Amino acid sequence: MPEFYPSIGEAIGAAMQHNIRLAHGGETSDSDTPLQVRYLPHPSVDPYSVPGMIARLTETATPHEVAGIIEEVNSTLVGALPQLTELVAAAADWTRARLTFESPHHNPTFDTWTRLAAATRLLRDVQEELEVAENMIAPCPAELSDPKYRDEVPVLRTRELLSDVLGSDAIADTKPPAPPPRTPPSSGPRPLPA
């Protein structure tokens, strides 16, 4: 099993499947290593990571802050979305280098390339949509609307961050603990209690 899971639910599900296989005497493959704990820093440690940006994009964020976060996500050089797009494109190019058309009725490599190429095009479409949305965020009101209006539109976020599930105190921070306050030296003998 990989040591990283995108959500706490998937990590728990993988651990349960692993335990079920072991309980029923199923052998795990050589590539199926035991679960390992991976240190996940709190989103506040790196506000420009995707978890950090999600944590910053709260309902009370200002339109300017939200537009800035969308710009960070979609930035050509360092944005998470262009990097993801290039990663998927690289996987498509990797598959392209293995294409053969010797069997016209059965070509799983070409099918794989087709899906990866389609995913790359969709990700590029998402980048264009975000560029337009970024410019549309500024006129949005900064104050929250009445909750009755929000019930008309579904919530789109489907996964929780580990810090959402465990709380901010449950994930170790990279900052060292603050030293205890120093007490000033006394200027003389203390009086005895009465």
Side-chain angles (χ1 to χ4, degrees), residues 173-179:
D173 203 353
T174 58
K175 297 176 188 171

Side-chain angles (χ1 to χ4, degrees), residues 1-133:
M1 279 183 273
E3 66 178 64
F4 172 73
Y5 295 92
S7 71
I8 191 71
E10 290 182 22
I12 292 170
M16 290 172 65
Q17 288 177 351
H18 181 75
N19 289 338
I20 289 168
R21 280 196 307 271
L22 291 176
H24 290 286
E27 291 290 324
T28 58
S29 64
D30 292 337
S31 64
D32 189 14
T33 57
L35 286 176
Q36 299 175 3
V37 175
R38 179 176 179 183
Y39 171 72
L40 296 174
H42 191 270
S44 63
V45 173
D46 185 3
Y48 295 100
S49 67
V50 172
M53 287 186 280
I54 293 170
R56 286 164 44 208
L57 213 162
T58 62
E59 284 187 345
T60 56
T62 66
H64 178 73
E65 290 169 329
V66 175
I69 291 168
I70 297 299
E71 183 181 12
E72 291 165 14
V73 169
N74 216 25
S75 170
T76 304
L77 296 177
V78 296
L81 186 55
Q83 289 183 39
L84 177 61
T85 305
E86 288 302 307
L87 174 67
V88 175
D93 291 343
W94 179 91
T95 309
R96 178 182 173 270
R98 285 145 180 85
L99 285 174
T100 62
F101 295 97
E102 295 169 0
S103 176
H105 301 294
H106 180 69
N107 197 335
T109 306
F110 181 70
D111 293 341
T112 304
W113 177 85
T114 302
R115 289 186 180 274
L116 290 169
T120 303
R121 284 191 297 274
L122 288 170
L123 287 168
R124 289 188 176 135
D125 289 345
V126 171
Q127 290 178 33
E128 290 176 12
E129 292 293 332
L130 282 180
E131 285 176 14
V132 174

Side-chain angles (χ1 to χ4, degrees), residues 6-7 10 155-161 164:
S7 71
E10 290 182 22
V155 173
L156 297 180
R157 190 172 167 196
T158 58
R159 295 184 180 202
E160 294 177 314
L161 296 175
D164 292 340

Side-chain angles (χ1 to χ4, degrees), residues 142-174:
E143 55 279 343
L144 295 174
S145 62
D146 190 315
K148 69 180 180 183
Y149 299 115
R150 286 178 258 160
D151 292 340
E152 301 293 323
V153 180
V155 173
L156 297 180
R157 190 172 167 196
T158 58
R159 295 184 180 202
E160 294 177 314
L161 296 175
L162 192 59
S163 59
D164 292 340
V165 176
L166 300 178
S168 59
D169 296 336
I171 300 176
D173 203 353
T174 58

